[in-house]
Amino acid sequence: MSWWQQPLVGFDLETTGTDPAVDRIVTAALVDTVGAVRVGGANWLLDPGVPIPAEAEAIHGIGDDLARRKGRPAKEAVEEIAAALCERLAAGRPVVAFNAPFDLSLLDAELRRHGLPTLADRLGGPVGPVLDALVIDRAVDKYRKGSRTLQRVCELYGVELTDAHEAGSDALAAVRVAVALAERYRAEVGGLSPEQLHRRQIGWYREWAESLQAWLRRGKDPQAEVDSRWPAR
């Protein structure tokens, strides 16, 4: 059986903002699947310990009052999220995300903030295999115009996204987009092992980052720097 017909785990965070170095987790989800079929998972609501900006609340619907009343203490929940993710990786399940450098880097930043072991510390080596539906889509359909938000990519691949920006819904959608990509692009995606695909994504992401950086430097910002590290920084 190919990887996209076997156990996978979708991973997504909703946060206080868009900077993985400084922003905090508000909600998190792991969704266990066999192929595209959901079979289980776990969800967390956190009190991030800092105010949730109105712009972030408008996206995911979680404000300060709800987070403080019902959210778990951040350190306790971050430990649980990391332990659950690493348990699945150690069992050989690929982790599927949409824009993995954001979610994995932010989780690692939270772990460091609370004095907890990072993902790599727990695994005894690099985090993987990771399957990033955004990176794969960019690589196999490089010249497609238009946005590549999760909502738009779901529309293109016929994946239902029932509640955008709810962590569990987004995590499941990322898995289903990855499976759709594997089915459509058998040679480039579906026919590889998760480890082979992980290695290819490192190069694909680097090429994309270098191209974006060059474009930015030619026009908007001569000093622009785009981090080329994947799947985490």
Side-chain angles (χ1 to χ4, degrees), residues 107-120:
L107 177 54
D108 260 343
E110 285 272 47
L111 291 167
R112 293 187 186 98
R113 183 175 295 119
H114 294 292
L116 299 168
T118 65
L119 299 174

Side-chain angles (χ1 to χ4, degrees), residues 22 24 29-30 46 52 54-55 97 105 107 134 146 177 185 198 204 209 220:
V22 301
R24 311 293 178 91
L30 294 176
L46 284 67
I52 299 172
E55 303 82 33
S105 300
L107 177 54
L134 175 59
V177 169
Y185 298 97
H198 181 104
W204 288 341
K220 296 181 179 180

Side-chain angles (χ1 to χ4, degrees), residues 93-104:
R93 292 188 193 179
V95 168
V96 183
F98 193 86
N99 193 21
F102 177 79
D103 298 280
L104 294 176

Side-chain angles (χ1 to χ4, degrees), residues 32-46:
D32 297 311
T33 74
V34 175
V37 179
R38 188 184 191 278
V39 295
N43 293 271
W44 293 265
L45 170 63
L46 284 67

Side-chain angles (χ1 to χ4, degrees), residues 206-228:
R206 183 175 60 248
E207 290 171 9
W208 170 82
E210 290 172 352
S211 176
L212 176 59
Q213 178 175 287
W215 180 78
L216 290 170
R217 288 185 175 184
R218 286 195 301 270
K220 296 181 179 180
D221 182 1
Q223 304 301 318
E225 292 189 8
V226 179
D227 198 320
S228 63

